[in-house]
Amino acid sequence: MGFSAGILGVGSYLPEKVMTNFDLEKIVDTSDEWIVERTGIRERRIADPETATSDMSVRAAQAALADAGVKAEELDLIIVATATPDYQFPSTACLVQDRLGAKHAGAFDLSAGCSGFVYGLSVASQMIASGLYRHILVIGAETLSRIMDWTDRNTCVLFGDGAGAAVVGRVEDGLGLLALELGSDGSGALELYQPAGGSRRPASRETVEEHGHFIHMNGKEVFKFAVRTMPASCKRVLAKAGLTVQDVDMLFPHQANQRIIDNAVKHLKIDKEKVWVNIAKYGNTSAACIPICLTEAQKEGRLHKGDVILAVAFGTGLTWASVALKWAK
Ligand code: UT7
């Protein structure tokens, strides 16, 4: 590999509208107590009806570009990780490219569910490391409220809307990406999916009546998969980097359930202080979780140049992904 690749800047956008567990109590048969105890979530953000995934992506991207000191015209590539694109096609990345005025950038969407941002970061860092490109924008953005079944208490209490972005580019030698792991197990594809609207079950009156355009999830199976996968993937990626858990300064886990995070903390034997958790405020924003966390941690002065950062995610596919990197700012 020719160049060290790392994160040059981060940014996020969260809709203003807050939906609390108490608001949900009025919609489905649930309680604040159940949601907090079983998930750790207290509230989530919901985009207003005029806002779609590309709109939030643009806001997060502008913040990340400003943080990196990189102009939109300097971008070579834009990757948007999302399960809730504005349209089935074209890609949301193309809409973002136009809105940013990123005249010299290629653009594509990436489908890896909640693991999408880490997948995108992995792809981007390799293209930087090879010398092919100089600046790549990786966005994780979701308007999950649009595909939520507001009559299904098993899912509608879990998710929220938001966007996060990172500018990936060349960094000083010794900093940036250390190791990565991308994983998949398609045998679990239907544990978490949107049944209709694709080529297998195109939209029809029936698919609408059956709630086929909403998220369907077997929560228990996804939970077991997450518990199995997250700590194991962290350990493997650290081993690849020649590091141990003691070397990690900050862990950024996917924010799906406080109990899944607690389990990972226990298995990794990592100090809780080193684990970034904001699930109480935003719920599960899927691909947006990790860049939102990174932005928050940076704003709060918790990331320092040379710090070892570990990010780990899991999601539909089923997929998982981990990266270890040295913070380069
Ligand atoms: O980013 C990846 C996306 N997804 C995930 O990571 C989800 C992973 N899974 C989970 O987080 C958990 O499995 C859930 C939070 C979804 C569910 O928690 P659980 O402890 O596995 O609950 P459960 O599915 O075993 O349900 C226990 C009970 C059931 O009632 P019965 O059958 O025992 O009478 C559910 O109907 O809790 C009931 N229940 C609820 N009660 C009140 C399920 N959802 C709710 C709710 N409010 N919102």
Side-chain angles (χ1 to χ4, degrees), residues 28-31 34-35 38-39 114 152-155 157-159 192 217-224 226 254-257 259-260 284 286 314-316:
V28 283
D29 180 16
T30 190
S31 66
W34 191 95
I35 302 172
R38 307 305 292 167
T39 73
C114 305
D152 177 14
R153 68 176 183 176
N154 290 294
T155 51
V157 304
L158 303 174
F159 299 98
L192 173 50
M217 182 175 74
N218 181 347
K220 272 201 169 55
E221 283 308 311
V222 179
F223 192 98
K224 281 193 256 171
H254 175 48
Q255 313 279 309
N257 188 318
R259 290 186 290 140
I260 294 173
N284 181 352
S286 187
F314 63 92
T316 184

Side-chain angles (χ1 to χ4, degrees), residues 247-266:
D247 297 314
V248 176
D249 293 297
M250 195 65 79
L251 170 66
F252 293 92
H254 175 48
Q255 313 279 309
N257 188 318
Q258 183 70 51
R259 290 186 290 140
I260 294 173
I261 297 172
D262 290 344
N263 173 79
V265 169
K266 195 176 99 194

Side-chain angles (χ1 to χ4, degrees), residues 7-314:
I7 292 178
L8 306 179
V10 287
S12 67
Y13 173 77
L14 286 143
E16 267 171 41
K17 187 182 169 195
V18 175
M19 183 184 258
T20 67
N21 293 347
F22 300 104
D23 296 327
L24 280 162
E25 285 182 359
K26 293 175 202 144
I27 302 173
V28 283
D29 180 16
T30 190
S31 66
D32 175 59
E33 194 190 352
W34 191 95
I35 302 172
V36 172
E37 205 173 278
R38 307 305 292 167
T39 73
I41 301 165
R42 291 182 184 276
E43 55 189 48
R44 69 287 290 142
R45 301 297 177 92
I46 305 291
D48 63 58
E50 292 75 39
T51 300
T53 298
S54 68
D55 304 309
M56 293 192 290
S57 297
V58 167
R59 304 281 284 268
Q62 284 166 337
L65 287 166
D67 187 44
V70 170
K71 294 190 194 73
E73 305 86 67
E74 294 177 281
L75 290 172
D76 301 303
L77 183 65
I78 299 172
I79 303 173
V80 176
T82 186
T84 47
D86 287 29
Y87 308 107
Q88 195 70 20
F89 63 89
S91 70
T92 300
C94 280
L95 307 176
V96 173
Q97 177 273 333
D98 177 50
R99 292 265 297 280
L100 290 176
K103 291 186 212 115
H104 308 295
F108 67 89
D109 285 3
L110 192 155
S111 171
C114 305
S115 313
F117 178 79
V118 183
Y119 260 74
L121 191 58
S122 303
V123 171
S125 47
Q126 296 314 295
M127 286 176 149
I128 299 293
S130 70
L132 184 66
Y133 287 146
R134 292 297 290 262
H135 300 108
I136 303 180
L137 181 63
V138 183
I139 300 171
E142 300 285 5
T143 323
L144 291 163
S145 62
R146 299 287 150 70
I147 59 162
M148 220 100 91
D149 185 344
W150 294 104
T151 65
D152 177 14
R153 68 176 183 176
N154 290 294
T155 51
C156 76
V157 304
L158 303 174
F159 299 98
D161 299 336
V167 179
V168 181
R170 288 182 193 171
V171 297
E172 274 172 51
D173 277 350
L175 298 178
L177 185 82
L178 302 171
L180 64 87
E181 176 177 273
L182 304 180
S184 69
D185 177 6
S187 70
L190 304 193
E191 304 295 5
L192 173 50
Y193 79 130
Q194 187 180 19
S199 58
R200 190 162 296 282
R201 290 214 68 204
S204 66
R205 182 193 297 269
E206 284 73 34
T207 61
V208 171
E209 281 168 3
E210 290 163 9
H211 294 199
H213 298 272
F214 297 133
I215 294 176
H216 287 242
M217 182 175 74
N218 181 347
K220 272 201 169 55
E221 283 308 311
V222 179
F223 192 98
K224 281 193 256 171
F225 164 73
V227 160
R228 230 179 19 245
T229 311
M230 285 233 295
S233 179
C234 286
K235 283 182 190 165
R236 284 192 297 266
V237 99
L238 285 172
K240 277 190 199 177
L243 299 171
T244 68
V245 172
Q246 281 70 42
D247 297 314
V248 176
D249 293 297
M250 195 65 79
L251 170 66
F252 293 92
H254 175 48
Q255 313 279 309
N257 188 318
Q258 183 70 51
R259 290 186 290 140
I260 294 173
I261 297 172
D262 290 344
N263 173 79
V265 169
K266 195 176 99 194
H267 277 84
L268 291 169
K269 299 191 180 71
I270 187 170
D271 182 356
K272 265 190 155 183
E273 294 295 302
K274 294 182 172 180
V275 184
W276 200 266
V277 184
N278 63 13
I279 189 169
K281 287 187 290 185
Y282 307 129
N284 181 352
T285 57
S286 187
C289 282
I290 288 175
I292 289 172
C293 288
L294 288 170
T295 307
E296 224 175 47
Q298 180 178 264
K299 269 194 190 132
E300 293 185 23
R302 297 286 299 278
L303 295 176
H304 314 97
K305 194 169 177 174
D307 281 359
V308 174
I309 308 296
L310 186 57
V312 59
F314 63 92

